Amino acid sequence: MASKSFDMIVIGAGPGGYVAAIRGAQNGLNVAIVEREHMGGICLNWGCIPTKALLRSSEVFHLMHRAKEFGLKADGIDYDLDAVVKRSRGVAKQLNGGVGHLLKKNKVTAVMGAATLTGKGKVSVKTDKGTEELTAKNIILATGARARELPGLEADGDLVWTYKHALLPPRMPKKLLVIGSGAIGIEFASFYNTLGADTTVVEVMDRVLPVEDAEISAFAKKAFEKQGMKIMQKAMVKQLDRAKGKVTAHIEVGGKVEKHDFDTVISAVGIVGNVEGLGLEELGVKVDRTHVVTDEFCRTGVDGLYAIGDIAGAPWLAHKASHEGVMVADLVAGKHAHPVKPESIAGCTYCHPQVASVGLTEAKAKEAGFDVKVGRFPFIGNGKAIALGEPEGMVKTIFDKKTGELLGAHMIGAEVTELIQGYVVGRQLETTEEDLMNTVFPHPTLSEMMHESVLDAYGKVIHI
């Protein structure tokens, strides 16, 4: 390596780290990035991207079964799980190579190995060839997170899987238990259920997708049950008895413990930050429940040391990490930077039907003391949704009665993960209900429901 001294070193090449490195280089900084496993991190290799590829396969499979509805003929419909997985891995591989190319193009020095902070501004990297010592005035921690493992429910790759095993399944589950109904749990439940697994989801909270608005959760639960999923809410898996080809789960629900047999269990009970082995304690970095404590500008309190993305806490979303990366790279280069506001970040879940939201739920808005106006519009009232054969879903909007500020938007149905961005832009531009009402939405589109939902909040809805 030509230079061991850099302006900025990024540890971790996920969607936070590699984006920070590229923006740093664009800002004229000499940047190094250290990655111990895969360029693109979990998101690209084992998370967001390959799961979307799998879910697309199950969506097409589901549509093939509906061929008759669309006046089409499809006989002998089947799937090849190995081929489905192979496609998913190919998509991940293509993007992984793309990240390497982008780093090279932007003249970022990439070092493959495990990094430790050995002092202020010092990074030691264990590579295949030995140890490399790097120095920089500014260091960004972007080491991400991994699946939380609960005692007694640990994955073994055979009967009990984490998301990684679920992406490279050794077999097709016949009777599947998914523990946890957040985005990861529900996406895998959706995928395997569509392909024919008898699927049960256990959620410790009082509803599935517990971070979503209660109305959306209730709608989702109905849709999942209609698809044949069993949903157990306010339930907890106490233990798993593993035998040959069989797991007996002890599930506590309503104060009683029930025993159910499964051949496969997927554990999706949250994540823990990758904070170990980085030398954080010695530097005096504050860590709270496996996450690095930072201020709104991702500063750790140790001069020149920043933490972004999953390691810096919720929301655990790739797009949050990327934006924090850009913000810190701008900050380091002495440019004006805007803090990332968690409440303006959309959450998307790619189950069937899709779920997307931004801002406050109705309950949270009321808790915060707002007097609210709420609008709703169903997919069944939208021409495009009916033409698509997707009449199930809804758009819900929440406004501050006093100011007309859009406090939150919540959707469930076809393509809502693409639609939500309209409201995200609206919130970023500090829009009011009047701006949204006066906006002309194109016809026929699903986006018209966003307009109608706003109109509904103010008693002016047209199509219901």
Side-chain angles (χ1 to χ4, degrees):
M1 275 168 57
S3 165
K4 304 280 171 146
S5 174
F6 298 87
D7 298 322
M8 185 171 97
I9 296 168
V10 183
I11 301 173
Y18 87 76
V19 168
I22 289 170
R23 176 48 69 94
Q26 286 173 348
N27 285 339
L29 302 173
N30 181 14
V31 183
I33 191 162
V34 183
E35 171 55 49
R36 68 179 181 187
E37 224 176 339
H38 309 281
M39 287 298 168
I42 293 294
C43 169
L44 222 148
N45 295 280
W46 296 104
C48 333
I49 302 297
T51 51
K52 299 309 133 331
L54 290 184
L55 285 157
R56 177 65 173 155
S57 291
S58 68
E59 182 186 14
V60 173
F61 184 63
H62 168 74
L63 282 170
M64 286 163 77
H65 282 280
R66 292 177 58 195
K68 205 171 163 195
E69 279 177 53
F70 296 93
L72 306 172
K73 285 182 181 159
D75 301 318
I77 299 159
D78 204 356
Y79 64 86
D80 173 349
L81 187 61
D82 289 346
V84 168
V85 170
K86 192 177 169 195
R87 175 180 181 269
S88 158
R89 298 318 306 154
V91 169
K93 190 168 182 249
Q94 184 181 343
L95 289 166
N96 166 290
V99 171
H101 169 73
L102 286 171
L103 292 169
K104 206 176 260 158
K105 184 180 146 194
N106 285 281
K107 300 185 172 54
V108 173
T109 303
V111 185
M112 295 303 288
T116 310
L117 299 167
T118 50
K120 220 170 174 180
K122 290 182 182 164
V123 179
S124 180
V125 186
K126 249 197 173 129
T127 70
D128 287 351
K129 300 186 179 92
T131 306
E132 298 212 24
E133 306 297 337
L134 316 175
T135 59
K137 217 159 97 182
N138 300 284
I139 296 169
I140 301 177
L141 297 171
T143 54
R146 61 184 184 278
R148 181 188 298 280
E149 297 244 48
L150 295 179
L153 313 183
E154 293 92 352
D156 52 42
D158 174 25
L159 298 169
V160 184
W161 300 351
T162 63
Y163 64 88
K164 256 191 181 173
H165 304 119
L167 280 168
L168 284 175
R171 63 171 184 282
M172 176 63 196
K174 287 186 184 71
K175 207 154 180 286
L176 172 68
L177 169 64
V178 177
I179 309 173
S181 77
I184 296 172
I186 277 299
E187 286 184 1
F188 279 123
S190 209
F191 172 72
Y192 284 110
N193 188 67
T194 303
L195 293 189
D198 176 357
T199 305
T200 300
V201 178
V202 170
E203 171 55 56
V204 72
M205 305 295 275
D206 61 355
R207 53 200 172 88
V208 289
L209 294 166
V211 301
E212 299 298 338
D213 186 87
E215 246 179 291
I216 300 295
S217 288
F219 195 109
K221 179 176 185 252
K222 266 202 192 112
F224 298 150
E225 286 177 337
K226 204 171 152 190
Q227 292 163 28
M229 272 188 223
K230 288 174 206 64
I231 307 280
M232 298 173 80
Q233 296 170 156
K234 287 193 189 162
M236 192 183 252
V237 178
K238 292 304 230 184
Q239 74 181 74
L240 297 174
D241 300 337
R242 305 171 203 222
K244 193 164 169 35
K246 185 179 88 165
V247 183
T248 304
H250 300 240
I251 304 168
E252 188 183 298
V253 58
K256 289 199 287 283
V257 175
E258 301 176 3
K259 286 185 187 178
H260 296 274
D261 289 344
F262 300 93
D263 61 51
T264 310
V265 178
I266 295 175
S267 175
V269 288
I271 61 172
V272 291
N274 293 323
V275 290
E276 304 85 357
L278 289 167
L280 300 183
E281 300 78 13
E282 294 76 9
L283 277 174
V285 175
K286 203 170 159 209
V287 177
D288 176 29
R289 286 167 298 187
T290 80
H291 291 93
V292 174
V293 179
T294 66
D295 69 3
E296 60 178 343
F297 288 104
C298 296
R299 295 180 288 221
T300 62
V302 172
D303 200 28
L305 184 65
Y306 302 83
I308 64 170
D310 286 358
I311 194 185
W316 297 290
L317 299 165
H319 41 288
K320 171 227 177 203
S322 298
H323 264 263
E324 286 179 342
V326 167
M327 175 190 72
V328 173
D330 282 350
L331 212 58
V332 167
K335 297 190 171 185
H336 182 63
H338 292 277
V340 178
K341 294 192 186 106
E343 65 279 7
S344 294
I345 296 171
C348 297
T349 307
Y350 299 79
C351 45
H352 183 77
Q354 292 181 8
V355 175
S357 59
V358 66
L360 299 173
T361 61
E362 187 179 348
K364 283 258 164 36
K366 286 173 177 166
E367 249 170 63
F370 289 103
D371 193 0
V372 298
K373 270 183 148 356
V374 179
R376 298 169 186 84
F377 195 83
F379 269 52
I380 194 76
N382 177 265
K384 177 76 183 287
I386 293 166
L388 285 175
E390 299 287 353
E392 284 181 26
M394 73 179 282
V395 176
K396 176 175 177 176
T397 45
I398 299 147
F399 291 89
D400 177 1
K401 204 175 192 171
K402 245 204 324 267
T403 64
E405 181 193 352
L406 174 64
L407 297 173
H410 309 273
M411 313 179 179
I412 182 164
E415 298 306 331
V416 295
T417 55
E418 296 291 342
L419 292 180
I420 194 68
Q421 188 59 13
Y423 288 134
V424 175
V425 171
R427 278 176 59 82
Q428 186 67 23
L429 299 177
E430 298 181 355
T431 190
T432 63
E433 92 289 358
E434 205 179 329
D435 297 324
L436 289 167
M437 284 187 195
N438 292 331
T439 301
V440 182
F441 285 73
H443 173 80
T445 63
L446 297 173
S447 71
E448 290 173 275
M449 292 185 280
M450 297 164 65
H451 191 218
E452 294 267 17
S453 176
V454 176
L455 293 172
D456 184 55
Y458 288 84
K460 295 179 178 179
V461 68
I462 305 283
H463 287 100
I464 42 167

